[in-house]
Amino acid sequence: MITTRERSSAPADLRRAALAAALGAACLLVAWGLLHVGFYDRNQIVDTPRYQSWGEDVLDGKVPYRDFAVEYPPGALPAFVLPALAAHVDYRPWFEALMWGCGAAAIAFIALALAAVGAGDTRLYAATAFAGLAPLSLGSVVLTRFDLWPAALTAGALAALVSGRNRLGLGVLALAVAAKVYPAVLLPLALVYTSRRRGGREAAVGLAVFAAVLGAVLLPFAVLAPDGLRQSLERQVTRPLQIESLGSAALLAAHQVGAYVPHVVTTFGSQNLDGGLPDAVATIQTALQAVAVFAVWALFIRGRSGPESLLASSAAAVAAFVAFGKVLSPQFLIWLVPLVPLVAGEAGLVAAALLASALFLTQVWFPYRYWHVVALFALLASISRRRESLRSS
């Protein structure tokens, strides 16, 4: 039952959310402009040429996964196709405009979610301002990756769930999973939350909505190009240990003390460590990733599983998925930008500070020093192998 107080406070909450969203969007607009000047505009490593090729192929009538390979799930295609509607030379500006729109939408969903849980003005405005200014800490990678699209969908799903629109939330979450797989770690949290708030039957209906939406996105491609779609999904699972991952960092540190000789290769569109030891580390890291995510789920199930807990656990689950993954690209931090500001209290402040530090340190590394480090380790590995060859001879 909705009380008179709740009815009267709803418009006020919407007004607060709208003002906070406007503040965040203004911060994002300023940040977006600054990303095009000075050192931000130099040494960029971009993915937009690949996106443009895929988008233009679709507009030419080619079927993704059948007529050309795409490494991302079908839900990502709108982010590639829509900017391709513009002239060929205008693809990147249109892509950036689309990503800005996704970022602004994510900020609006942050505001709606926090208003729904009764957050105070300070927390509400600080969260949207943080999300708006976060691109300045991460750098130009925000402009040329499509990750703000699934990030916005994920934030929208959470906003719907904590606002009591469970079926809508699970449907939007399915769209997020169809765009990039990582939001799937939120599904058990969403189902437990729905079950405890609305009952098991409603959770079952929500799961059916999730499955129907996900099926509607995937099924056409599963029929038209089953092998290509399967290979696209397998590609994400079978990737080797990326040079930026946590396990790779440990191996590269071992190299500094002479305990390991790295072999850097370019495969799967990234720079990775090749060999039996990196493969073993990748397996261990994947197991740790699963344990960390399951631990978040278990803590959520054992707790109250309320709205605030859902927001905090969602941020924790995605953070665990990112930190322990055998692939850790800089753009993965974009996934956390709409989630960490949702965490309440001192834990939220600490999490926001850690995320801001991670964003900044990532920019120090990428893109300015990335190729230098890759080349350095390749050179050092070559020297080490030559020394070993001379010793053996």
Side-chain angles (χ1 to χ4, degrees):
M1 177 182 293
I2 300 176
T3 65
T4 303
R5 181 181 179 277
E6 288 173 326
R7 284 197 298 268
S8 63
S9 64
D13 286 339
L14 286 176
R15 284 194 296 271
R16 291 196 311 127
L19 289 173
L23 170 65
C27 291
L28 183 64
L29 187 62
V30 172
W32 217 256
L34 292 175
L35 288 175
H36 291 83
V37 299
F39 67 92
Y40 286 116
D41 201 37
R42 297 193 292 269
N43 302 315
Q44 294 187 4
I45 301 175
V46 303
D47 278 0
T48 43
R50 287 192 301 159
Y51 300 164
Q52 183 171 6
S53 175
W54 296 333
E56 291 176 347
D57 281 345
V58 171
L59 294 181
D60 288 340
K62 297 179 181 179
V63 177
Y65 311 103
R66 187 190 70 184
D67 301 327
F68 62 95
V70 182
E71 65 181 89
Y72 300 111
L77 292 173
F80 311 146
V81 176
L82 290 176
L85 295 171
H88 179 83
V89 296
D90 293 330
Y91 184 90
R92 177 163 172 177
W94 280 80
F95 178 82
E96 289 185 12
L98 177 61
M99 288 302 103
W100 184 90
C102 290
I107 290 170
F109 292 136
I110 291 172
L112 288 172
L114 291 178
V117 298
D121 287 347
T122 301
R123 179 183 171 194
L124 182 61
Y125 292 119
T128 55
F130 177 92
L133 295 174
L136 289 177
S137 293
L138 185 56
S140 61
V141 67
V142 178
L143 302 175
T144 62
R145 305 298 192 277
F146 80 99
D147 294 79
L148 279 169
W149 165 235
L153 291 172
T154 303
L158 286 174
L161 286 166
V162 298
S163 299
R165 300 177 179 272
N166 303 87
R167 298 179 187 181
L168 175 62
L170 283 159
V172 176
L173 183 61
L175 291 177
V177 173
K180 206 155 190 177
V181 179
Y182 81 89
V185 300
L186 272 62
L187 179 59
L189 303 175
L191 292 175
V192 171
Y193 175 80
T194 301
S195 177
R196 292 187 175 176
R197 304 282 287 188
R198 298 295 181 87
R201 183 180 181 279
E202 183 63 22
V205 172
L207 179 59
V209 170
F210 177 91
V213 172
L214 187 61
V217 177
L218 298 182
L219 187 59
F221 298 97
V223 172
L224 293 172
D227 291 338
L229 181 61
R230 175 179 51 79
Q231 290 171 4
S232 173
L233 297 176
E234 286 180 351
R235 177 186 176 91
Q236 303 304 314
V237 177
T238 59
R239 292 182 65 175
L241 190 68
Q242 192 178 23
I243 196 171
E244 298 151 297
S245 67
L246 186 62
S248 179
L251 290 178
L252 295 180
H255 171 70
Q256 297 299 311
V257 295
Y260 169 70
V261 178
H263 182 206
V264 180
V265 296
T266 299
T267 54
F268 294 85
S270 62
Q271 285 62 53
N272 313 296
L273 292 182
D274 186 42
L277 181 57
D279 290 345
V281 172
T283 300
I284 295 171
Q285 195 162 322
T286 300
L288 290 174
Q289 182 187 50
V291 169
V293 172
F294 273 100
V296 174
W297 293 347
L299 290 172
F300 180 75
I301 292 170
R302 292 181 62 183
R304 290 186 173 183
S305 306
E308 292 282 16
S309 181
L310 175 65
L311 298 179
S313 297
S314 297
V318 174
F321 186 84
V322 171
F324 292 104
K326 61 181 178 180
V327 177
L328 178 53
S329 297
Q331 62 265 26
F332 289 7
L333 293 180
I334 295 173
W335 307 349
L336 293 169
V337 170
L339 300 180
V340 169
L342 297 174
V343 182
E346 292 183 3
L349 294 175
V350 172
L354 289 174
L355 177 58
S357 300
L359 294 172
F360 174 75
L361 292 173
T362 298
Q363 184 178 176
V364 170
W365 151 264
F366 189 95
Y368 308 107
R369 294 170 175 81
Y370 180 76
W371 292 117
H372 296 289
V373 174
V374 171
L376 174 62
F377 280 114
L379 175 62
L380 292 176
S382 176
I383 293 172
S384 297
R385 287 193 295 270
R386 182 172 177 81
R387 287 175 177 171
E388 289 296 325
S389 176
L390 291 172
R391 290 194 190 105
S392 62
S393 61

